[in-house]
Amino acid sequence: MGSRLEGKVAIVTGAGTRGDGIGNGKACAFVYAREGARVLAADVDMGLAEATAEMIRAEGGTCIPFRADVSRSEDCRALTEACIKSFGRIDVLHNNVGITNSGGPVEYAEEQWDRMMNVNAKSMFLTAKHALPHMELQGSGSIVNIGSIASTGGIPGRNAYCAAKAGVLGMTRALATEWARQGIRVNAVAPG
């Protein structure tokens, strides 16, 4: 176990893993805990959030699971309130939630487009909306938005995904500029 995040608190959204292996959210929650952070592991599937929390606790870390659909404002408010109630602060908001599927504007249904935007972009807006006031009171914080290389160039057949991730990149840049003076860093990571 490291100590770079000793005394810090991290919220990780999309902290569960579907299927075999370990997904990005679960891996990040695990690394935050290994570096000394207390973690709130959020996922739309409580069983998956609990599995992440159990793994972290088995190594001696501190983690509480939380069920949240981060495309819903009320869930994001409840998520941040649970973190403040449990740990007293929010130092890191790690927005890992994301979905992808194929389709262009002709074959893609409007409902699919809306879901892609809600899960991949709106969720990051909503979690930031509810976490930023707490970070501002602390005078510090860090938001990490997981984007994609799809945000900078088109991928044929992934129109909605590319648009959502481009929105994440634009929002990240705007938030970084707006909140830097309050001691809050906002960055995006673009895997791919």
Side-chain angles (χ1 to χ4, degrees):
M1 294 287 222
S3 60
R4 291 187 305 166
L5 296 175
E6 195 68 41
K8 302 291 185 183
V9 174
I11 293 174
V12 180
T13 69
T17 297
R18 283 156 185 74
D20 295 332
I22 195 166
N24 290 342
K26 188 174 195 174
C28 289
F30 195 61
V31 170
Y32 285 127
R34 276 193 165 174
E35 288 297 328
R38 294 170 289 165
V39 177
L40 189 145
D43 201 277
V44 71
D45 184 319
M46 184 59 168
L48 298 177
E50 182 58 50
T52 298
E54 285 176 13
M55 185 179 86
I56 289 169
R57 291 190 298 251
E59 275 211 353
T62 301
C63 183
I64 58 172
F66 193 87
R67 191 237 165 256
D69 175 349
V70 291
S71 69
R72 296 172 30 88
S73 185
E74 184 58 31
D75 284 15
C76 294
R77 184 192 59 74
L79 170 70
T80 56
E81 287 178 0
C83 189
I84 294 297
K85 183 178 179 185
S86 297
F87 299 127
R89 59 187 298 114
I90 302 168
D91 296 292
V92 178
L93 170 60
H94 185 103
N95 283 314
N96 181 71
V97 169
I99 58 171
T100 186
N101 54 27
S102 298
V106 175
E107 59 276 347
Y108 216 60
E110 183 178 353
E111 295 78 21
Q112 289 175 292
W113 173 273
D114 290 344
R115 182 167 186 265
M116 185 71 67
M117 293 299 155
N118 288 341
V119 172
N120 288 350
K122 181 181 173 186
S123 66
M124 296 186 190
F125 159 74
L126 291 173
T127 55
K129 175 182 184 60
H130 294 285
L132 280 166
H134 298 288
M135 291 178 173
E136 184 177 24
L137 285 173
Q138 296 165 187
S140 65
S142 179
I143 297 176
V144 180
N145 292 327
I146 302 302
S148 169
I149 60 168
S151 65
T152 59
I155 300 174
R158 304 262 177 164
N159 301 109
Y161 180 76
C162 291
K165 291 301 185 175
V168 168
L169 182 58
M171 179 177 59
T172 299
R173 288 178 171 155
L175 288 172
T177 302
E178 182 179 353
W179 290 91
R181 290 181 189 217
Q182 286 82 16
I184 300 167
R185 293 183 326 274
V186 186
N187 293 289
V189 176

